[in-house]
Amino acid sequence: MKTQDSVAPDYRYLRPLKKPESATFPVYKKLEDLLTQASDHPDRVVAHALATCAGYAYSDAATLAMIMARMGLESNECRLVSQTVDAMFICSHAFLVQSDDGRVVILCYRGTQPMNFINWLTDADVNPETVPVPFADPPVSFAVHGGFYRNVRATRHEVVHALQRALDGRSVRAKGKAMPQRMEALYLTGHSLGGAMAAMMAVMLRTEPAYAPIARKLRAVYTYGQPMIGEPGLAKACDDDEFLGANLIRYVYGSDVVPQLPPTVSGPFAHFGRELHCGPGTTQDAAARTTQQLGNLTGLAIAPVAFISHQLRLFRNLPFQQSLYDHGPQHYISALTPAGVSSEYGDPG
């Protein structure tokens, strides 16, 4: 198990060399207050902040700490818990970002890295595992995506230990300091594979009795370009859960193909929670929940073609129904940046 710790420096030293006059950091003043006070989800500030966090989880702890300081969690503490076992298709990276007063913790899972072959094998390792989920007593067993489940388990105990430290008023870092306050608000997030891991961790927190003290601090789960994690029976049980049905928020950008996965040849899968579609300048509730729309693996060949077409002016506006180009985390961040709000780079909104 590997860990990386980082403390974000004062945001004033993170400004670009040539800062536009209208650009200011942090993007949101006292973001910890906004995250603590948000009660109705989806919330546009939360959606933007967590999309940015999920996008920069593809970097390291120091970079993510810096970006989240710019967003408004100044002097945050950031910890990366990771485990990689190539032979078992495990490539699990979980970031814990804690506000400097200790009140807010964001648990953010890294998604599928484009050039990481093991990441793609993890996504493809659909062979389901049957897992007892204690929504009721006795627990009911459901089939879940084997690769996603294995990767959440790889770092779960260290992550839960860190969350327990935050709940006790300590830093999420292994040898960190006492914090001014105990954790009051916990958010889970991630893009792509990271979103699937966040959703699965949310189910674990909500259903495992031992995790109940942590689960009581869970405010919402925001995922971006998330694939499905389990069979329709699990999805229904999650939708029936008072928290998961209303507060797991899934964003789908444009024609992003990943929310349509796994393909039907892998077996029946279904989404749960609230789905919103976003694009340039628009965000709206989905008219219908995304389903498994690819009948076989050959359908996936369309998605890379759509990615390449976006690089060629002549084909850029072709109406693809499945696109890898639309899966990029930068699209989710741009689409969910509120009008008039500057970016994480200080660009004016």
Side-chain angles (χ1 to χ4, degrees), residues 134-150:
F135 278 109
D137 188 15
V140 179
S141 293
F142 299 101
V144 300
H145 188 292
F148 300 159
Y149 180 61
R150 191 176 304 112

Side-chain angles (χ1 to χ4, degrees), residues 47-335:
H48 177 212
L50 296 189
T52 304
C53 188
Y56 285 90
Y58 289 96
S59 187
D60 53 29
T63 300
L64 184 58
M66 177 187 71
I67 291 296
M68 294 311 292
R70 290 181 178 183
M71 293 299 293
L73 293 182
E74 303 171 51
S75 301
N76 66 77
E77 305 230 331
C78 183
R79 180 181 181 187
L80 167 61
V81 179
S82 65
Q83 185 178 106
T84 302
V85 185
D86 291 354
M88 296 180 64
F89 305 151
I90 292 175
C91 191
S92 181
H93 297 80
F95 290 89
L96 295 118
V97 182
Q98 184 179 34
S99 61
D100 66 346
D101 62 6
R103 288 185 298 151
V104 176
V105 175
I106 299 171
L107 170 57
C108 180
Y109 287 95
R110 180 185 291 172
T112 305
Q113 294 180 292
M115 302 306 292
N116 188 321
F117 183 60
I118 298 301
N119 270 178
W120 286 103
L121 290 179
T122 295
D123 291 345
D125 185 19
V126 176
N127 189 33
E129 292 195 27
T130 302
V131 178
V133 183
F135 278 109
D137 188 15
V140 179
S141 293
F142 299 101
V144 300
H145 188 292
F148 300 159
Y149 180 61
R150 191 176 304 112
N151 272 261
V152 172
R153 285 191 306 170
T155 51
R156 175 181 57 174
H157 294 300
E158 194 67 29
V159 164
V160 168
H161 180 70
L163 292 175
Q164 185 61 55
R165 288 178 61 83
L167 196 61
D168 294 338
R170 306 286 300 178
S171 167
V172 294
R173 296 192 292 158
K175 297 181 180 180
K177 61 185 180 181
M179 303 299 286
Q181 298 185 58
R182 298 172 184 267
M183 178 175 69
E184 296 179 16
L186 170 65
Y187 289 89
L188 272 58
T189 192
H191 168 263
S192 191
L193 162 65
M197 293 173 69
M200 194 159 294
M201 185 62 171
V203 175
M204 292 179 178
L205 291 178
R206 281 289 297 174
T207 59
E208 291 287 347
Y211 299 158
I214 295 173
R216 283 194 284 270
K217 304 301 180 181
L218 183 58
R219 297 297 183 85
V221 183
Y222 283 68
T223 71
Y224 309 89
Q226 176 209 317
M228 305 169 210
I229 68 169
E231 63 168 286
L234 175 64
K236 183 180 186 307
C238 291
D239 278 328
D240 290 342
D241 180 80
E242 182 180 5
F243 178 86
L244 294 173
N247 294 295
L248 188 140
I249 313 297
R250 293 182 299 100
Y251 285 94
V252 179
Y253 178 86
S255 299
D256 186 353
V257 66
V258 173
Q260 301 175 23
L261 300 177
T264 55
V265 292
S266 301
F269 283 77
H271 278 301
F272 61 91
R274 185 174 174 186
E275 181 174 316
L276 289 89
H277 288 183
C278 59
T282 63
T283 300
Q284 58 187 9
D285 282 284
R289 185 174 288 176
T290 297
T291 58
Q292 293 174 283
Q293 297 180 26
L294 297 177
N296 53 61
L297 294 176
T298 59
L300 288 174
I302 299 174
V305 172
F307 180 88
I308 295 172
S309 75
H310 275 277
Q311 317 311 316
L312 305 174
R313 180 189 300 180
L314 182 62
F315 304 107
R316 191 166 292 160
N317 295 319
L318 291 178
F320 289 96
Q321 292 184 335
Q322 291 92 25
S323 171
L324 273 180
Y325 178 82
D326 285 357
H327 186 56
Q330 70 275 17
H331 299 308
Y332 285 91
I333 295 172
S334 295

